[in-house]
Amino acid sequence: MPAFIHLWRGLRTINFDMVYARSWTDDNRYEYFKKKFAKCAEVLVPYRIPYDYIICAAVVSEDAREKMEAAGFDKRIYVRPEAFF
């Protein structure tokens, strides 16, 4: 379930196996939605993240990579269509 949690505690509560799973289907409807909620979680950042803190980006396509580079993003960019749904 969604919640606002302090950074370090929040990182310890994330089930990364569930977040990065390739499929979230389950015969048990409760488990199915639990898995989908994990994938749909987002990080809410108050104000901004300094650019120096960003080490890379993941994008859905080569086109998206080109747009980020054209906008001046000069860090590593991974094309990972499987990370987006």
Side-chain angles (χ1 to χ4, degrees), residues 2-64:
F4 290 96
I5 303 171
H6 185 271
L7 169 66
W8 301 117
R9 182 171 168 239
L11 285 173
R12 287 191 305 268
T13 64
I14 296 173
N15 180 336
F16 287 99
D17 290 336
M18 195 178 298
V19 170
Y20 290 113
R22 294 199 177 268
S23 173
W24 300 272
T25 59
D26 198 295
D27 291 336
N28 179 317
R29 193 159 174 79
Y30 173 77
E31 288 299 317
Y32 167 75
F33 283 112
K34 183 174 153 186
K35 292 175 181 180
K36 289 215 35 136
F37 286 147
K39 178 64 178 175
C40 295
E42 51 187 45
V43 175
L44 301 176
V45 177
Y47 310 111
R48 66 184 186 89
I49 298 174
Y51 187 68
D52 293 347
Y53 287 18
I54 298 171
I55 57 172
C56 65
V59 296
V60 71
S61 66
E62 285 296 331
D63 182 54

